Amino acid sequence: MANDASAAFDTLSPAVSKGSLADPFTPSADSSLWRKNFLLGAATASYQIEGAVDEDGRLPSIWDTFSATPGKVLAGDTGAVACDHYHRWESDIDMLASLGLEGYRLSIAWPRVMDAAGRPNRKGLDFYKRLLNRLKEKGITSFVTLYHWDLPQHLEDRGGWLNRDTAYRFADYTDLMSRELAGTVDAWATLNEPWCSAYLGYGNGHHAPGLANDRFATQAMHHLLLAHGLAIPVLRGNDPASQKGIVANIGRGTANSDSAADQRAAHLFEVQHNAWILDPLLKGEYPQDLFELWPGTEPLVLDGDTQTIAAPLDFLGINYYFRTNVASDGAHGFRDVPLEGVERTQMGWEVHPDGLRDLLTGFRSTYRNLPPIYITENGMASDDKVIDGHVDDTQRISFLKRHLAAVDQAIKAGVDVRGYFLWSLMDNFEWAFGYERRFGVVHVDYSTQKRTVKRSAELVAKFLKERKAKV
């Protein structure tokens, strides 16, 4: 196996490195990406693109509250308008189809489809029904995430994910959505990135609802995973033909030295970022090393919870962006030690495609019951600008090539990876970073809502067209 993930792809030509628009985006002839059944798509999330936060009965979410709080979001940005997808969804789906993308991962805004008493909001439901039916008409596979962080504010007012009852309210929400949308969804994901919801939302306060307590983080995580476990049998009962899974973000941790302390720090980093979620799902238990990091933070777990959480999955969604170099903090944990001279994105994240391959192959060894995997998010932010009607996002082109090559290497090593979703279809509200950071393969001018397809999207479309002709 090559150590450099770019080896499986044609390298960027000198012309492209200088900004030319002539670069091909073609995997090597033996790449797994040529398989007809390897799904290539793009992903979005409701609060990041929809806007229309006060329309058609939608209730406030924790992100409406958080982003309206001074100092919480860069430049005071909010998702009130975002990409105005709520009004422009038809043309956005047409754009998705015109690129030849085969899959679309979207999320449902919980506050848009139910009122505070748990009754359905028909206008909100109809929005998603129209959208999903349009995807079916276009022959695009739909992956629907039930929770991508926009918890109804009225539930947060009752304790949010610190309140066990929220897990049962999530099961009610799942029941409504899977009854209403049965037959229109190809794959359901219960949660997106519970690590972010629990740790960034309740552990360090970087995300909504903005609480900061390690004990809160572990309890919130338990209730999130319990919600997932309660939802899986509901989905199986209401929509048996669909796939059911969950989406986890994963992080690669590497040690700053060969010392035992630094090696242990890297291990604990991956325990906190990966095993905290995957062990309960796939082993039915929390990793005890987690509580070495956070002594005394064990969540309250009731009888039967671990069995509920470990419900069998049809697929596991994996989101990957970067690796973190760490050293021992001299106590129970780790501290970041940023490497110098490495490639970074607009987010400051290190570009490290080999980390994705290494994590995937590691999971295959660690979890005997590892389900089929979809890379449900992978992408990068860059300061993209439209010049003469074009966006030549050279770094993103290189980033995507190398990460797709890493996926190909993992497949050849025996990992069952069945698809890959670009993050994101279009530039959008990037949570606490507002609108400054652009992750899309389509540029959005927020003042006019004009969409401009970036060169990365053009090259992906070109490859998909070639693959369709070939297979």
Side-chain angles (χ1 to χ4, degrees), residues 145-298:
T145 304
L146 285 162
Y147 184 69
H148 201 128
W149 307 353
D150 40 1
L151 184 71
Q153 181 62 44
H154 67 86
L155 290 179
E156 181 59 37
D157 292 342
R158 292 159 52 188
W161 291 111
L162 297 178
N163 183 349
R164 184 182 176 92
D165 185 64
T166 301
Y168 297 100
R169 301 291 71 77
F170 181 78
D172 293 342
Y173 160 58
T174 300
D175 180 52
L176 173 65
M177 298 312 300
S178 54
R179 282 188 288 107
E180 291 283 344
L181 301 179
T184 66
V185 175
D186 294 299
W188 293 95
T190 53
L191 309 175
N192 177 76
E193 299 184 348
W195 185 92
C196 292
S197 296
Y199 185 69
L200 300 183
Y202 293 86
N204 71 4
H206 184 64
H207 280 186
L211 304 181
N213 183 299
D214 291 344
R215 180 71 175 80
F216 289 173
T218 57
Q219 192 63 61
M221 176 66 83
H222 183 66
H223 291 154
L224 282 154
L225 294 178
L226 178 63
H228 156 79
L230 292 169
I232 289 292
V234 174
L235 292 169
R236 294 202 185 282
N238 290 346
D239 196 9
S242 62
Q243 296 184 73
K244 292 87 180 169
I246 188 172
V247 171
N249 59 304
I250 59 172
R252 179 68 170 131
T254 55
N256 194 52
S257 78
D258 292 332
S259 73
D262 284 357
Q263 294 292 323
R264 178 67 176 169
H267 166 74
L268 290 174
F269 176 92
E270 292 197 359
V271 165
Q272 196 234 49
H273 283 75
N274 306 331
W276 185 16
I277 298 91
L278 297 182
D279 277 16
L281 292 170
L282 301 176
K283 291 184 175 180
E285 61 186 12
Y286 287 102
Q288 288 307 302
D289 288 353
L290 180 68
F291 307 112
E292 177 183 329
L293 276 170
W294 296 327
T297 65
E298 292 85 347

Side-chain angles (χ1 to χ4, degrees), residues 41 66 85 87 91 181 275 343 347 391:
F66 188 78
H85 177 70
H87 301 113
S91 58
L181 301 179
E343 180 186 356
M347 296 290 288
V391 181

Side-chain angles (χ1 to χ4, degrees), residues 39 101-103 133-142 186:
L39 186 70
L101 292 164
E102 302 159 327
N133 284 328
R134 182 75 162 210
L135 291 173
K136 280 221 171 284
E137 291 170 8
K138 298 287 186 181
I140 297 171
T141 300
S142 58
D186 294 299

Side-chain angles (χ1 to χ4, degrees), residues 185-453:
V185 175
D186 294 299
W188 293 95
T190 53
L191 309 175
N192 177 76
E193 299 184 348
W195 185 92
C196 292
S197 296
Y199 185 69
L200 300 183
Y202 293 86
N204 71 4
H206 184 64
H207 280 186
L211 304 181
N213 183 299
D214 291 344
R215 180 71 175 80
F216 289 173
T218 57
Q219 192 63 61
M221 176 66 83
H222 183 66
H223 291 154
L224 282 154
L225 294 178
L226 178 63
H228 156 79
L230 292 169
I232 289 292
V234 174
L235 292 169
R236 294 202 185 282
N238 290 346
D239 196 9
S242 62
Q243 296 184 73
K244 292 87 180 169
I246 188 172
V247 171
N249 59 304
I250 59 172
R252 179 68 170 131
T254 55
N256 194 52
S257 78
D258 292 332
S259 73
D262 284 357
Q263 294 292 323
R264 178 67 176 169
H267 166 74
L268 290 174
F269 176 92
E270 292 197 359
V271 165
Q272 196 234 49
H273 283 75
N274 306 331
W276 185 16
I277 298 91
L278 297 182
D279 277 16
L281 292 170
L282 301 176
K283 291 184 175 180
E285 61 186 12
Y286 287 102
Q288 288 307 302
D289 288 353
L290 180 68
F291 307 112
E292 177 183 329
L293 276 170
W294 296 327
T297 65
E298 292 85 347
L300 176 62
V301 178
L302 302 187
D303 288 345
D305 282 2
T306 54
Q307 294 92 327
T308 297
I309 290 168
L313 301 171
D314 299 326
F315 74 93
L316 174 64
I318 291 292
N319 296 353
Y320 173 82
Y321 289 96
F322 60 96
R323 71 109 170 242
T324 304
N325 191 64
V326 300
S328 171
D329 66 357
H332 298 291
F334 54 84
R335 58 185 176 86
D336 292 3
V337 183
L339 296 172
E340 296 182 2
V342 298
E343 180 186 356
R344 296 188 181 277
T345 71
Q346 188 189 20
M347 296 290 288
W349 297 343
E350 182 190 352
V351 177
H352 190 69
D354 290 348
L356 175 56
R357 179 201 62 212
D358 294 344
L359 287 168
L360 291 174
T361 54
F363 294 157
R364 182 172 180 266
S365 300
T366 301
Y367 301 107
R368 299 290 182 181
N369 58 338
L370 185 69
I373 287 172
Y374 288 87
I375 307 303
T376 37
E377 288 182 27
N378 181 234
M380 60 157 285
S382 56
D383 186 18
D384 302 321
K385 293 182 172 58
V386 180
I387 300 174
D388 296 329
H390 301 282
V391 181
D392 191 11
D393 51 339
T394 303
Q395 187 187 12
R396 181 174 292 105
I397 293 166
S398 176
F399 179 102
L400 296 176
K401 281 185 161 189
R402 287 175 284 161
H403 283 79
L404 284 164
V407 171
D408 177 53
Q409 291 176 358
I411 293 171
K412 289 174 179 173
V415 185
D416 187 3
V417 184
R418 299 188 179 181
Y420 174 99
F421 291 82
L422 303 157
W423 184 267
S424 173
L425 174 62
M426 53 188 162
D427 298 334
N428 53 51
F429 177 79
E430 183 45 43
W431 306 112
F433 294 99
Y435 294 102
E436 182 185 83
R437 315 295 166 91
R438 293 182 176 272
F439 275 89
V441 294
V442 174
H443 182 277
V444 178
D445 182 329
Y446 298 112
S447 64
T448 65
Q449 293 297 337
K450 179 179 173 58
R451 276 70 160 145
T452 301
V453 175

